[in-house]
């Protein structure tokens, strides 16, 4: 073989290899044939969870599911941020298709500007996002269809990427299940929104996000606060701020629970929403709003469930204090993951909770019942009365002695419940005595015309249940109702595309409802850890620094307040009769001195804060310098030593 | 590949690999790499100021840009030096086939790079002490970073096979690496598409598929997708084929 022939053969071989490589890349990347994935993340963030697999397993071959995934792929308009997101979604959807064994068909559609596909996306109710001034829109959403049932996810927010699998699995679970689960809703507040009447100009308040989210999956049925029977077709009863429960109502709830129902209740020693609603005029009538008692309780039921609760005491926690109305407030609790029960299915994987003016629960062992604490405060906490809590919204905490004990803020009770009304249905009318939340407030509706308290004399054997029919009933109790309000469980997305869930407040309720509604599969989908992993050591360091300086700061704060009080007294009062203001020199000097002292204190506080920040910064700087310069220095020195050795060796030779 | 092939390749590998440690260039490049990788992470990305120990968006994100400059700096002497000194003729008279030489030299440079990348591990230790990072994305991030570096090295190797000047090789390689990093960028694509006649649009889009970035970032998230790994491996293989072609054409 001549040399040129050899070169030609080599050239052809090389070209062939290149062609094979391109074909292989096209097959795997472009067509997706044999596109294997290996998920290395600890929580399997990119792998279908067991719950999703179960849900996919429930799809019947007779009623297959079609997923239409709409993603604009025109580089001109698709933002950089969304491109990899769209691709990872498509990959995950391919996994769904693969897992289903033919029961799910995935259609990938690219609705680029001015194409027929764009029309398709619009027809399928996918939400376009305008990206430039020419009015071009991008689409990133999907629809899930099974027979005539359709679910649409109009926009898949990249900021909420961990929720994506849940959203899709939920949509699938929904389209393959024709009958809706019913959720009962009891609350004196308009949590479910007020439907607007055609003749009224103003719209009533919208439903809270939690109710809107529940309505997306379930039928939400209002249950009257004064009902004497809870329908047995209600799967889960959601009670938010039971400020006006009569014994009759508690009996109805009791019987509902014993009949196999599930209860999620939010009581509150000092409900800010109720307070705000009471002071607001009714948007419909313009009349002063309905008075709602700010504290709520379910005394008879709590007793039967082995719970104790003081309905006028609020938890203050210096470690877990959050910011409320722009200032740190120890009654605005920010509970971190370490005080959230990660072993309970309802709360596992949740990273934080926000509670405002929460109460504390005590647990008394009851035979047959199993009580698990879901959320608790830190040891640096104590109970304060509602008046003091109200004051904390305006002033900082001055005197605080931690009780050294964690306060229980939320529990999950399971087992065989016994009736809170062993003597049967309470007599009618039967408002309860002392312990009721509403009854102490003269303006509460249930208290109007209250009869004198009488013992719960009741008919014997009226057919009421004495204990749970099964041992599968569940009760969840939280001691804060405000935690469900939008302001405390949502935050605005950075992209400006709607609010996204923040913290565990809403996921906890959705988890619980799902779990109790018998699904159970979806809960395993949602409880995935957020991909953000914090610098835990910094937090601990910051806490210890704060602890070091806290006594000093508290002392200074007290001094400042004392001074402010003295100052306000010392300031000359205007003589109203004469309309003059006479100040003697002594008082003036006194005031001046106090003002100087006050400035001194301010300066000291600033200095301490500076010192605290300095300590933080010092550690960070050490870490930075160590990491950036240490290894290069070592490499440089080693290089120098070796070079010098070589030189010596060369010189010697 | 016969036993003899492997032995020859290993012999070239050993000679080249040890050669790096005798050259001050190696130390300078490693020091610059470490200073850049960690400096960008701690001072530009300010990793400590965000409450997130994951390395993907603040550490690995800089690597492609660093490799764009430093991989050609390591790889420029692969063949250009041999051309300039005329040692290529000597090498080719030895009982070593071009492929054995190409692989030996390439893996030697790759081995050196492995050491450089390995020296960034203290940042992983730091993050593990400060928090609880997910190890999966760290591992996949390192593999992605290494594959990226190898692809840049292979491109440089291909360029150096055609030129006898290290400077020319360096400049062309940096431009090539920069080009291949940038082509996926939407604003750049947009500008080019607007300037081109509409008939050429699909060609521009096809070229965009060759951007390294998309394939790189997918892996730093903690997931290996066959198409991304395959892509980098393909680039390396094709670039080495081109190297072979370059050497043959030079010799001819």
């Amino acid at each position: 073989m001549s040399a040129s022939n050899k070169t030609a053969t080599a050239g052809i071989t090389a070209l062939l290899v290149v062609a094979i490589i391109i074909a292989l890349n096209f097959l795997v990347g472009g067509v997706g044939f044999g596109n294997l994935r290996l998920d290395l993340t600890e929580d399997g963030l990119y792998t279908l969870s067991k719950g999703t697999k179960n849900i996919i397993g429930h799809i019947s071959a007779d009623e297959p599911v079609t997923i239409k995934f709409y993603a604009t792929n025109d580089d001109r308009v698709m933002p950089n941020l969304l491109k990899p997101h769209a691709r990872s979604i498509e990959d995950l959807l391919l996994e769904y298709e693969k897992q289903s064994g033919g029961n799910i068909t995935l259609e990938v559609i690219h609705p680029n500007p001015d194409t027929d596909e764009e029309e398709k996306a619009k027809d399928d109710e996918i939400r376009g996002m305008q990206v430039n001034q020419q009015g071009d829109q991008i689409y990133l959403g999907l629809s899930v269809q099974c027979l005539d049932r359709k679910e649409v996810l109009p926009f898949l927010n990249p900021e909420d990427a961990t929720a994506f699998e849940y959203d899709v699995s939920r949509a699938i679970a929904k389209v393959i299940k024709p009958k809706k689960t019913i959720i009962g809703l009891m609350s004196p507040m308009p949590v479910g929104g007020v439907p607007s009447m055609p003749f009224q100009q103003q719209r009533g308040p919208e439903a809270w996000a939690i109710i809107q989210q529940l309505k997306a999956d379930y039928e939400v049925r209002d249950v009257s606060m004064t009902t004497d029977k809870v329908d047995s077709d209600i799967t889960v009863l959601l009670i938010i701020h039971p400020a006006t429960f009569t014994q009759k109502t508690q009996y109805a709830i009791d019987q509902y629970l014993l009949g196999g129902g599930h209860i999620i209740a939010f009581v509150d020693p000092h409900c800010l929403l109720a307070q705000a609603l009471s002071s607001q005029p009714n948007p419909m009538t313009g009349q002063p709003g309905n008075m709602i008692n700010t504290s709520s309780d379910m005394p008879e039921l709590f007793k039967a469930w082995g719970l104790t609760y003081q309905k006028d005491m609020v938890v203050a926690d210096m470690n877990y204090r959050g910011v409320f109305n722009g200032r740190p407030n120890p009654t605005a609790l920010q509970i971190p993951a370490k005080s959230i029960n990660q072993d309970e299915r309802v709360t596992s994987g949740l990273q934080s909770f926000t509670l405002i003016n929460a109460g504390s629960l005590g647990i008394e062992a009851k035979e047959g019942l199993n009580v698990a604490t879901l959320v608790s405060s830190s040891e640096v906490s104590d109970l304060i009365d509602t008046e003091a809590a109200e004051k904390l919204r305006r002033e900082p905490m001055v005197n605080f002695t931690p009780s050294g004990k964690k306060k229980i803020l939320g529990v999950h009770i399971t087992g065989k419940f016994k009736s809170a009304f062993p003597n049967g249905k309470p007599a009618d009318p039967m408002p309860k005595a002392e312990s009721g939340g509403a009854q102490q407030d003269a303006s509460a509706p249930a208290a109007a015309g209250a009869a004198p308290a009488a013992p719960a004399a009741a008919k014997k054997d009226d057919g009421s249940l004495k204990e749970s029919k099964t041992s599968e009933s569940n009760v969840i109790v939280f001691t804060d109702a405000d935690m469900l309000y939008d302001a405390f469980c949502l935050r605005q997305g950075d992209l400006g595309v709607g609010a996204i869930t923040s913290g565990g407040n809403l996921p906890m309720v959705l988890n619980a409802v799902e779990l109790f509604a018998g699904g159970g599969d979806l809960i395993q989908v949602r409880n995935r850890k957020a991909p953000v992993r914090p610098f835990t050591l910094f937090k601990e360091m910051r806490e210890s620094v704060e602890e070091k300086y806290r006594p000093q700061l508290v002392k200074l704060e007290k001094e400042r307040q004392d001074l402010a009080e003295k100052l306000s007294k010392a300031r000359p009062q205007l003589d109203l009769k004469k309309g003059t203001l006479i100040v003697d020199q002594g008082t003036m000097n006194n005031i001046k001195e106090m003002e100087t002292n006050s400035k001194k204190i301010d300066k000291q506080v600033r200095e301490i804060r500076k010192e605290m920040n300095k300590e933080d910064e010092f550690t960070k700087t050490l870490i930075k310098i160590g990491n950036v310069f240490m290894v290069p220095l070592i490499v440089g020195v080693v290089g120098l030593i070796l070079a010098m050795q070589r030189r010596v060796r060369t010189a010697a030779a | 590949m016969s036993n003899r092939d492997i032995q020859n390749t290993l012999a070239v590998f050993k000679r080249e690999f040890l050669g790096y440690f005798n050259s001050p260039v190696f130390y300078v490049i490693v020091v610059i790499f470490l200073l850049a990788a960690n400096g960008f992470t701690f001072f530009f990305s300010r990793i400590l100021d965000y409450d997130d120990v994951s390395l993907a968006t603040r550490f690995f994100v800089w690597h492609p840009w660093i490799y764009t400059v430093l991989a050609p700096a390591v790889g420029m002497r692969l063949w250009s030096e041999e051309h300039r000194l005329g040692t290529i003729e000597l090498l080719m008279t030895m009982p070593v086939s071009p492929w054995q030489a190409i692989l030996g030299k390439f893996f030697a440079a790759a081995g050196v790079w492995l050491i450089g990348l390995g020296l960034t591990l203290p940042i992983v230790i730091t993050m593990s002490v400060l928090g609880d990072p997910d190890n999966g994305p760290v591992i996949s991030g390192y593999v992605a970073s290494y594959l990226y570096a190898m692809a840049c090295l292979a491109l440089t190797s291909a360029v150096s096979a055609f030129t006898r000047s290290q400077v020319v090789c360096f400049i062309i390689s940096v431009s090539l690496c920069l080009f291949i990093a940038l082509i996926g960028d939407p604003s750049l694509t947009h500008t080019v598409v607007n300037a081109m006649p509409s008939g050429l649009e699909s060609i521009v889009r096809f070229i965009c598929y060759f951007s390294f970035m998309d394939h790189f970032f997918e892996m730093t998230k903690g997931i290996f997708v066959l198409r991304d790994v395959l892509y980098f491996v393909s680039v390396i293989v094709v670039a080495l084929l081109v190297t072979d072609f370059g050497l043959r054409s030079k010799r001819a």
Side-chain angles (χ1 to χ4, degrees):
Chain A
M1 200 184 265
S2 70
S4 65
N5 260 350
K6 227 176 174 179
T7 318
T9 320
I12 291 170
T13 318
L15 278 179
L16 261 176
V17 173
V18 173
I20 290 170
I21 287 171
I22 291 177
L24 203 62
N25 271 279
F26 176 72
L27 267 180
V28 173
V31 187
F33 177 77
N35 192 13
L36 299 174
R37 290 152 53 92
L38 181 62
D39 185 355
L40 293 181
T41 54
E42 198 179 323
D43 309 308
L45 288 177
Y46 305 102
T47 312
L48 296 185
S49 57
K50 202 169 151 254
T52 294
K53 286 181 182 164
N54 288 343
I55 290 168
I56 293 174
H58 291 150
I59 304 174
S60 79
D62 307 333
E63 298 184 358
V65 170
T66 307
I67 300 177
K68 286 183 186 164
F69 174 49
Y70 295 89
T72 304
N73 69 342
D74 188 335
D75 288 325
R76 271 184 317 123
V77 289
M78 196 63 169
N80 247 353
L81 174 71
L82 292 181
K83 267 189 349 184
H85 178 57
R87 208 168 68 164
S88 52
I89 291 175
E90 191 181 327
D91 285 343
L92 206 59
L93 289 176
L94 279 168
E95 293 287 313
Y96 272 85
E97 193 183 29
K98 217 179 344 172
Q99 179 71 32
S100 73
N103 291 341
I104 293 179
T105 314
L106 174 68
E107 282 179 38
V108 182
I109 298 158
H110 300 297
N112 293 330
D114 311 318
T115 56
D116 292 344
E117 281 77 16
E118 190 174 13
E119 287 308 310
K120 271 192 203 167
K122 281 179 185 161
D123 291 345
D124 230 351
E125 297 158 54
I126 305 297
R127 193 197 307 152
M129 241 174 76
Q130 192 174 327
V131 284
N132 56 23
Q133 290 181 341
Q134 287 98 41
D136 288 336
Q137 294 200 314
I138 56 145
Y139 298 85
L140 187 61
L142 59 84
S143 71
V144 180
Q145 198 160 2
C146 176
L147 301 179
D148 60 339
R149 297 182 292 272
K150 187 168 98 174
E151 275 298 306
V152 179
L153 302 176
F155 182 74
L156 302 163
N157 196 340
E159 287 180 66
D160 221 0
T162 41
F164 166 71
E165 188 191 345
Y166 169 72
D167 289 340
V168 175
S169 299
R170 179 170 78 165
I172 293 176
K174 229 172 124 182
V175 294
I176 60 175
K177 189 176 163 191
K179 201 167 160 253
K180 275 191 171 182
T181 305
I182 302 168
I183 310 289
L185 174 63
M186 291 180 96
S187 178
M189 300 186 282
V191 289
V194 178
S196 51
M197 303 291 174
F199 51 87
Q200 269 157 348
Q201 302 203 330
Q202 225 178 345
R203 282 184 63 199
E206 270 191 24
W208 291 10
I210 176 67
I211 305 301
Q212 288 181 22
Q213 290 201 19
L214 286 173
K215 276 182 179 164
D217 290 336
Y218 311 101
E219 183 188 330
V220 177
R221 185 185 295 170
D222 277 322
V223 178
S224 161
M225 285 294 283
T226 52
T227 189
D228 55 2
K229 187 176 184 321
V230 179
D231 299 339
S232 58
D233 61 343
I234 288 175
T235 312
V236 182
L237 183 62
L238 189 61
I239 303 170
I240 303 174
H241 194 51
T244 55
F245 272 1
T246 58
Q247 284 215 344
K248 204 176 68 182
T249 312
Q250 289 190 69
Y251 170 77
I253 296 168
D254 178 73
Q255 292 300 302
Y256 162 76
L257 175 69
L258 302 185
H262 307 284
I263 293 171
I264 307 174
F266 297 84
V267 294
D268 202 322
H270 191 55
C271 179
L272 289 182
L273 262 300
Q275 192 182 29
L277 287 167
S278 300
S279 61
Q280 243 172 37
N282 185 334
M284 296 294 165
T285 59
Q287 300 295 315
N290 291 332
M291 286 299 287
I292 304 166
N293 199 345
T294 54
S295 76
S296 52
D297 196 359
M298 307 193 290
E300 267 71 20
L301 294 171
F302 276 5
K303 211 166 133 194
W305 301 342
L307 297 179
T308 56
Y309 161 71
Q310 288 169 277
K311 66 175 172 47
D312 47 6
M313 296 301 268
V314 172
V315 176
D317 188 324
M318 290 308 269
N319 258 7
Y320 294 166
R321 67 179 189 270
V323 174
F324 186 63
N325 277 350
R327 57 190 305 163
N329 187 333
T331 59
L333 306 176
Q334 275 293 340
I335 311 293
K338 69 175 177 188
S339 286
I340 298 169
N341 191 336
Q342 301 293 338
D343 300 328
E344 276 283 309
R345 288 175 78 191
V346 177
T347 44
S348 77
L350 300 179
Q351 299 295 307
S352 71
F353 269 88
T354 305
L355 290 93
I356 312 289
N357 287 340
S360 166
L361 291 171
I363 299 171
E364 285 169 1
K366 284 266 169 186
E367 201 198 320
L369 291 185
N370 179 24
V371 185
T373 301
L374 294 177
V375 176
S376 60
S377 74
S378 78
E379 278 106 353
V380 193
S381 61
D382 198 15
L383 290 177
I384 58 174
D385 60 26
T386 48
E387 209 172 297
E390 187 66 20
K391 223 170 124 188
L392 280 177
R393 285 167 68 186
R394 302 181 301 271
E395 300 164 13
M397 188 90 172
V398 186
N399 290 321
F400 183 74
T401 332
S403 66
K405 278 184 190 157
K406 292 182 174 180
K407 305 281 175 290
I408 297 170
L409 308 170
V411 292
H412 181 191
I413 312 169
T414 47
K416 224 169 164 63
F417 289 85
K418 295 222 164 53
S419 177
F421 299 87
N423 297 327
K425 194 173 181 178
D428 198 29
M430 189 65 252
K432 61 190 178 319
E434 285 311 299
S435 45
Q439 281 63 28
Q440 294 187 346
D441 189 333
S443 55
K459 288 175 275 176
K460 298 277 177 202
D461 269 347
D462 53 0
S464 58
L465 297 164
K466 299 285 180 276
E467 66 171 11
S468 293
K469 281 183 184 165
T470 66
S471 55
E472 282 159 14
S473 284
N474 288 275
V475 169
I476 283 182
V477 176
F478 267 77
T479 55
D480 181 33
D482 297 311
M483 65 185 278
L484 296 182
Y485 185 58
D486 298 7
F488 305 117
C489 52
L490 298 179
R491 67 178 171 86
Q492 186 70 37
D494 293 336
L495 288 176
V497 277
I500 52 179
T501 306
S502 150
N505 296 14
L506 290 198
M508 183 278 293
V509 181
L510 297 177
N511 279 351
V513 169
E514 217 129 68
L515 183 65
F516 302 163
D521 288 333
L522 271 174
I523 198 165
Q524 296 175 29
V525 183
R526 189 189 302 105
N527 284 352
R528 314 180 110 194
K529 270 186 196 154
V532 175
R533 286 156 180 262
F535 285 111
T536 41
L537 197 70
F538 280 149
K539 264 199 189 134
E540 281 167 27
M541 273 161 24
R542 176 86 206 177
E543 266 168 35
S544 70
V545 169
E546 273 191 23
E547 207 167 298
K548 196 167 115 192
Y549 288 99
R550 191 174 297 129
Q552 263 175 287
L553 279 175
V554 168
K555 195 177 137 238
L556 285 172
E557 192 58 49
K558 174 135 184 34
E559 278 176 31
R560 179 156 53 181
Q561 280 197 350
D562 288 350
L563 255 179
E565 212 169 291
K566 275 187 204 162
L567 247 172
S568 70
K569 279 183 193 156
R571 282 221 164 89
Q573 305 291 319
L574 187 72
D575 190 333
L576 283 175
K577 275 184 196 160
K578 293 178 188 164
T580 52
L581 192 120
I582 301 163
V583 193
D584 62 88
Q585 192 59 39
T587 316
M588 271 310 276
N589 290 346
N590 202 4
I591 288 173
K592 259 190 192 156
E593 195 191 322
M594 279 198 270
E595 277 174 349
T596 322
N597 281 345
S598 168
K599 272 183 194 153
K600 260 188 209 158
I601 291 174
D602 283 349
K603 200 177 166 203
Q604 273 174 299
V605 170
R606 273 203 306 276
E607 291 293 324
I608 290 177
R609 293 209 183 281
K610 226 195 260 173
E611 203 59 36
M612 282 163 72
N613 288 338
K614 231 189 211 171
E615 279 192 33
D616 272 4
E617 282 306 310
F618 181 71
T619 327
K620 281 188 183 174
T621 311
L622 271 189
I623 294 171
K624 276 182 202 170
I625 292 176
N627 270 282
V628 177
F629 299 106
M630 196 67 90
V631 184
L633 199 72
I634 294 170
V635 172
V637 169
V638 169
L640 267 180
I641 292 173
L642 287 177
M644 272 155 69
Q645 269 182 349
R646 234 183 348 259
R647 180 165 281 203
V648 171
R649 233 181 291 141
T650 328
Chain B
M1 223 179 189
S2 71
N3 224 0
R4 195 178 170 75
D5 286 340
I6 296 173
Q7 269 175 7
N8 284 346
T9 311
L10 270 178
V12 177
F13 171 82
K14 213 170 146 189
R15 189 195 82 146
E16 289 287 320
F17 186 70
L18 294 176
Y20 280 103
F21 293 93
N22 288 328
S23 137
V25 178
F26 163 72
Y27 297 97
V28 172
I29 288 176
V30 169
V31 167
I32 293 176
F33 170 65
L34 293 175
L35 283 177
N38 290 335
F40 289 165
T41 307
F42 283 94
F43 294 114
F44 287 177
S45 288
R46 305 206 317 274
I47 191 165
L48 297 182
D49 296 344
Y50 295 88
D51 208 13
D52 186 5
V53 289
S54 81
L55 291 173
T57 52
R58 303 209 166 79
F59 175 65
F60 290 120
V61 74
W62 296 104
H63 288 199
W65 306 110
I66 301 172
Y67 294 147
T68 300
V69 178
L70 291 190
V74 170
M76 66 185 179
R77 57 193 289 277
L78 281 176
W79 298 105
S80 306
E81 184 86 344
E82 304 268 5
H83 283 311
R84 193 175 61 85
L85 298 175
T87 46
I88 183 110
E89 308 301 332
L90 194 68
L91 185 69
M92 291 307 164
T93 55
M94 286 180 185
V96 175
S97 79
W99 267 109
Q100 289 161 4
I102 290 169
L103 289 179
K105 271 169 166 284
F106 177 74
F107 283 122
V112 164
W113 208 259
L114 194 61
I115 293 173
L117 197 58
L119 287 172
T120 61
L121 282 176
I123 195 175
V124 179
I125 299 168
T126 306
M127 293 300 134
S128 308
V129 172
L130 293 176
D132 173 31
D134 189 349
N135 291 325
V138 173
I139 293 169
S140 72
Y142 268 103
V143 173
S145 173
Y146 193 60
L147 280 173
Y148 198 113
M150 289 308 92
C152 288
L153 261 182
L155 287 179
T156 312
S157 160
V159 174
S160 80
F162 286 92
T163 171
R164 58 178 61 239
S165 158
Q166 287 197 27
V167 177
V168 171
C169 169
F170 178 75
I171 292 171
I172 294 179
S173 305
V174 169
S175 319
L176 196 62
C177 291
L178 194 63
F179 172 74
I180 217 150
L182 282 178
I183 44 175
D185 188 72
S187 56
L188 187 86
T189 319
H190 188 175
T191 318
V192 174
V193 165
N194 277 357
M196 288 252 188
S198 57
L200 293 175
E201 195 178 318
S202 55
I203 296 174
V204 175
R205 299 227 176 283
F206 179 71
I207 292 172
C208 287
Y209 177 76
F210 293 101
S211 168
F212 279 4
M213 288 301 191
D214 278 358
H215 300 282
F216 174 73
F217 285 123
E218 189 80 358
M219 274 197 268
T220 58
K221 290 194 305 194
I223 179 166
F224 281 124
V225 184
L226 182 61
R227 66 162 173 243
D228 298 322
V229 180
L230 185 73
Y231 174 72
F232 280 115
V233 173
S234 306
V235 169
I236 294 168
V237 172
V238 171
L240 293 182
L241 277 170
V242 175
T243 310
D244 179 50
F245 178 73
L247 291 180
R248 277 170 201 278
S249 70
K250 274 263 170 189
R251 218 159 29 142

